[in-house]
Amino acid sequence: MQNQDSSDKLPAHVAIIMDGNGRWAQARGLSRSAGHRAGADAVRTVVTRCRTLGIRHLTLYAFSSENWNRPRAEITALFSLLLEFLQQEVPLMEEKGIALKVFGDVDGLPLAQRTALRHAISRTAGGQHMTLNLALNYGSRAELVRAIQSFVRDGVRPEDITEASLAARLYTAGQPDPDLLIRTSGEQRLSNYLLYQCAYSELYFTPVAWPDFDESQLDAALAAYAGRSRRFGKTQEQINGC
Ligand code: FPP
């Protein structure tokens, strides 16, 4: 789904690749896990700011399917932070009308995280103000394969496979495509994140490490987005004429 009317407005959907926790920690002589803890604090800050500003959908890349290749201790630290985050934030999310969703293979997560996520999803399901999507054990190519497998499993005829019917089988079903994709810490790549959904997203790369990405950093990204001219393949004259 395209958000056509957004060139000088707030994005309806912001997606973020939260990068640089490790480098942030290393620069301070801290452990990578300490970097992730500071990253979790930045998650709280950014979720709160998005909720205040009225951004309706926020998707955070918290653990990719490739992150299993990291040292065991780091993976354990990331999953403990996730549990801690859910324990602390879910009551607040419920109060603030924020619905939690997970993009990715939840069944591949450890039992405690699976259970906490299912509880958090059902407890916040009524949230009307904002949807917080956590991409966990997520990979965009796997998401597309999963959608294609479901077409085959359901016996869908080739002519009934459309962009809309495919979108309805992605984790983002029912939500607009990201208008703005932010990646922190200087890298300029998509890393298997929402490849189909980001076809027309505005990209914003910042050298700031994720733990330092605060309200003012988010506001700067939103200001850059507001200054972009989104054309979706049309000419500027066509845009001006409609
Ligand atoms: C990338 O930094 C970050 C991650 C792989 C994980 C993101 C996790 C968090 C922000 C904290 C926990 C999240 C929640 C939702 C509670 P990196 O380690 O790849 O940094 P580097 O490239 O500098 O090494």
Side-chain angles (χ1 to χ4, degrees):
M1 262 191 283
Q2 285 174 4
N3 177 20
Q4 297 276 359
D5 178 29
S6 60
S7 52
D8 58 352
K9 298 193 180 68
L10 208 57
H13 187 168
V14 175
I16 307 184
I17 301 177
M18 310 182 287
D19 199 6
N21 295 347
R23 278 163 285 171
W24 181 92
Q26 195 181 19
R28 287 159 181 77
L30 301 170
S31 66
R32 293 183 59 81
S33 302
H36 292 313
R37 178 166 288 281
D41 291 338
V43 168
R44 291 180 178 89
T45 303
V46 167
V47 172
T48 306
R49 182 74 181 150
C50 286
R51 169 70 179 81
T52 304
L53 291 173
I55 289 169
R56 303 300 301 266
H57 307 265
L58 174 66
T59 302
L60 302 176
Y61 210 173
F63 193 86
S64 77
S65 23
E66 287 72 38
N67 285 154
W68 292 109
N69 296 321
R70 294 194 171 210
R72 193 74 235 160
E74 185 176 341
I75 296 174
T76 306
L78 276 168
F79 285 143
S80 326
L81 277 172
L82 175 65
L83 271 191
E84 212 176 285
F85 178 84
L86 294 173
Q87 274 152 13
Q88 288 172 359
E89 304 303 323
V90 165
L92 206 61
M93 288 174 65
E94 200 181 1
E95 189 189 311
K96 300 281 179 193
I98 303 175
L100 181 78
K101 294 201 170 158
V102 175
F103 294 173
D105 180 14
V106 180
D107 292 340
L109 295 173
L111 179 63
Q113 281 71 14
R114 230 156 56 207
T115 311
L117 283 166
R118 294 213 166 104
H119 170 75
I121 290 166
S122 77
R123 198 163 152 192
T124 61
Q128 295 293 320
H129 291 291
M130 181 176 150
T131 302
L132 171 63
N133 306 300
L134 288 183
L136 281 164
N137 200 14
Y138 173 84
S140 188
R141 289 180 175 181
E143 178 186 28
L144 287 165
V145 168
R146 175 179 171 271
I148 293 161
Q149 286 171 338
S150 80
F151 277 129
V152 175
R153 200 175 303 115
D154 294 347
V156 178
R157 295 176 308 166
E159 55 272 32
D160 291 332
I161 299 178
T162 61
E163 291 186 13
S165 67
L166 174 58
R169 287 168 190 256
L170 299 178
Y171 293 118
T172 37
Q175 300 191 51
D177 286 339
D179 302 293
L180 173 64
L181 171 70
I182 298 171
R183 182 168 189 152
T184 58
S185 208
E187 312 298 341
Q188 301 194 4
R189 53 178 173 265
L190 296 179
S191 299
N192 203 16
Y193 190 46
L194 303 170
L195 301 179
Y196 187 82
Q197 296 92 332
C198 284
Y200 285 100
S201 305
E202 294 296 325
L203 308 181
Y204 180 85
F205 300 108
T206 171
V208 172
W210 175 250
D212 289 332
F213 194 87
D214 57 12
E215 290 95 342
S216 65
Q217 298 297 332
L218 178 68
D219 291 354
L222 296 173
Y225 170 81
R228 305 266 179 99
S229 163
R230 302 188 77 192
R231 303 224 298 252
F232 300 105
K234 296 180 184 168
T235 66
Q236 194 57 53
E237 290 69 32
Q238 286 173 311
I239 304 270
N240 294 342
C242 60

PDB file of all heavy atoms in Angstrom, residues 38-50:
ATOM      1  N   ALA A  38      22.267   0.065  25.767  1.00  0.00           N
ATOM      2  CA  ALA A  38      22.072   1.487  25.419  1.00  0.00           C
ATOM      3  C   ALA A  38      21.148   1.590  24.202  1.00  0.00           C
ATOM      4  O   ALA A  38      20.340   2.522  24.098  1.00  0.00           O
ATOM      5  CB  ALA A  38      23.422   2.138  25.136  1.00  0.00           C
ATOM      6  N   GLY A  39      21.245   0.618  23.305  1.00  0.00           N
ATOM      7  CA  GLY A  39      20.359   0.578  22.136  1.00  0.00           C
ATOM      8  C   GLY A  39      18.907   0.378  22.540  1.00  0.00           C
ATOM      9  O   GLY A  39      17.989   0.965  21.943  1.00  0.00           O
ATOM     10  N   ALA A  40      18.684  -0.440  23.569  1.00  0.00           N
ATOM     11  CA  ALA A  40      17.314  -0.667  24.039  1.00  0.00           C
ATOM     12  C   ALA A  40      16.731   0.628  24.627  1.00  0.00           C
ATOM     13  O   ALA A  40      15.540   0.917  24.470  1.00  0.00           O
ATOM     14  CB  ALA A  40      17.291  -1.794  25.072  1.00  0.00           C
ATOM     15  N   ASP A  41      17.592   1.423  25.269  1.00  0.00           N
ATOM     16  CA  ASP A  41      17.123   2.725  25.786  1.00  0.00           C
ATOM     17  C   ASP A  41      16.714   3.641  24.625  1.00  0.00           C
ATOM     18  O   ASP A  41      15.721   4.365  24.715  1.00  0.00           O
ATOM     19  CB  ASP A  41      18.218   3.406  26.623  1.00  0.00           C
ATOM     20  CG  ASP A  41      18.465   2.671  27.939  1.00  0.00           C
ATOM     21  OD1 ASP A  41      17.559   1.933  28.375  1.00  0.00           O
ATOM     22  OD2 ASP A  41      19.560   2.823  28.507  1.00  0.00           O
ATOM     23  N   ALA A  42      17.499   3.582  23.537  1.00  0.00           N
ATOM     24  CA  ALA A  42      17.149   4.393  22.361  1.00  0.00           C
ATOM     25  C   ALA A  42      15.821   3.928  21.763  1.00  0.00           C
ATOM     26  O   ALA A  42      15.040   4.738  21.246  1.00  0.00           O
ATOM     27  CB  ALA A  42      18.273   4.328  21.324  1.00  0.00           C
ATOM     28  N   VAL A  43      15.545   2.626  21.841  1.00  0.00           N
ATOM     29  CA  VAL A  43      14.254   2.111  21.355  1.00  0.00           C
ATOM     30  C   VAL A  43      13.119   2.779  22.127  1.00  0.00           C
ATOM     31  O   VAL A  43      12.155   3.296  21.553  1.00  0.00           O
ATOM     32  CB  VAL A  43      14.171   0.565  21.503  1.00  0.00           C
ATOM     33  CG1 VAL A  43      12.738   0.066  21.279  1.00  0.00           C
ATOM     34  CG2 VAL A  43      15.131  -0.122  20.533  1.00  0.00           C
ATOM     35  N   ARG A  44      13.265   2.841  23.453  1.00  0.00           N
ATOM     36  CA  ARG A  44      12.220   3.466  24.290  1.00  0.00           C
ATOM     37  C   ARG A  44      12.018   4.929  23.877  1.00  0.00           C
ATOM     38  O   ARG A  44      10.889   5.393  23.712  1.00  0.00           O
ATOM     39  CB  ARG A  44      12.621   3.415  25.769  1.00  0.00           C
ATOM     40  CG  ARG A  44      12.603   2.025  26.340  1.00  0.00           C
ATOM     41  CD  ARG A  44      13.012   2.037  27.817  1.00  0.00           C
ATOM     42  NE  ARG A  44      12.949   0.695  28.368  1.00  0.00           N
ATOM     43  CZ  ARG A  44      13.974  -0.165  28.343  1.00  0.00           C
ATOM     44  NH1 ARG A  44      15.133   0.170  27.820  1.00  0.00           N
ATOM     45  NH2 ARG A  44      13.832  -1.382  28.849  1.00  0.00           N
ATOM     46  N   THR A  45      13.138   5.644  23.706  1.00  0.00           N
ATOM     47  CA  THR A  45      13.078   7.068  23.342  1.00  0.00           C
ATOM     48  C   THR A  45      12.353   7.256  22.011  1.00  0.00           C
ATOM     49  O   THR A  45      11.473   8.118  21.875  1.00  0.00           O
ATOM     50  CB  THR A  45      14.518   7.639  23.224  1.00  0.00           C
ATOM     51  OG1 THR A  45      15.172   7.419  24.462  1.00  0.00           O
ATOM     52  CG2 THR A  45      14.521   9.105  22.882  1.00  0.00           C
ATOM     53  N   VAL A  46      12.728   6.437  21.022  1.00  0.00           N
ATOM     54  CA  VAL A  46      12.184   6.628  19.673  1.00  0.00           C
ATOM     55  C   VAL A  46      10.711   6.200  19.613  1.00  0.00           C
ATOM     56  O   VAL A  46       9.895   6.878  18.970  1.00  0.00           O
ATOM     57  CB  VAL A  46      13.068   5.887  18.639  1.00  0.00           C
ATOM     58  CG1 VAL A  46      12.389   5.782  17.291  1.00  0.00           C
ATOM     59  CG2 VAL A  46      14.403   6.619  18.498  1.00  0.00           C
ATOM     60  N   VAL A  47      10.365   5.128  20.298  1.00  0.00           N
ATOM     61  CA  VAL A  47       8.951   4.709  20.308  1.00  0.00           C
ATOM     62  C   VAL A  47       8.102   5.823  20.928  1.00  0.00           C
ATOM     63  O   VAL A  47       7.055   6.214  20.387  1.00  0.00           O
ATOM     64  CB  VAL A  47       8.753   3.379  21.087  1.00  0.00           C
ATOM     65  CG1 VAL A  47       7.275   3.064  21.259  1.00  0.00           C
ATOM     66  CG2 VAL A  47       9.462   2.233  20.377  1.00  0.00           C
ATOM     67  N   THR A  48       8.572   6.367  22.033  1.00  0.00           N
ATOM     68  CA  THR A  48       7.826   7.423  22.719  1.00  0.00           C
ATOM     69  C   THR A  48       7.661   8.650  21.823  1.00  0.00           C
ATOM     70  O   THR A  48       6.571   9.225  21.711  1.00  0.00           O
ATOM     71  CB  THR A  48       8.558   7.835  24.026  1.00  0.00           C
ATOM     72  OG1 THR A  48       8.752   6.658  24.787  1.00  0.00           O
ATOM     73  CG2 THR A  48       7.776   8.840  24.818  1.00  0.00           C
ATOM     74  N   ARG A  49       8.757   9.030  21.157  1.00  0.00           N
ATOM     75  CA  ARG A  49       8.697  10.206  20.279  1.00  0.00           C
ATOM     76  C   ARG A  49       7.735   9.970  19.100  1.00  0.00           C
ATOM     77  O   ARG A  49       6.956  10.856  18.744  1.00  0.00           O
ATOM     78  CB  ARG A  49      10.112  10.513  19.759  1.00  0.00           C
ATOM     79  CG  ARG A  49      10.191  11.745  18.873  1.00  0.00           C
ATOM     80  CD  ARG A  49      10.082  13.013  19.693  1.00  0.00           C
ATOM     81  NE  ARG A  49      10.132  14.207  18.868  1.00  0.00           N
ATOM     82  CZ  ARG A  49       9.522  15.338  19.169  1.00  0.00           C
ATOM     83  NH1 ARG A  49       8.816  15.446  20.292  1.00  0.00           N
ATOM     84  NH2 ARG A  49       9.627  16.384  18.392  1.00  0.00           N
ATOM     85  N   CYS A  50       7.793   8.794  18.528  1.00  0.00           N
ATOM     86  CA  CYS A  50       6.891   8.496  17.398  1.00  0.00           C
ATOM     87  C   CYS A  50       5.437   8.549  17.853  1.00  0.00           C
ATOM     88  O   CYS A  50       4.573   9.095  17.163  1.00  0.00           O
ATOM     89  CB  CYS A  50       7.201   7.117  16.802  1.00  0.00           C
ATOM     90  SG  CYS A  50       8.714   7.091  15.835  1.00  0.00           S
TER      91      CYS A  50
END
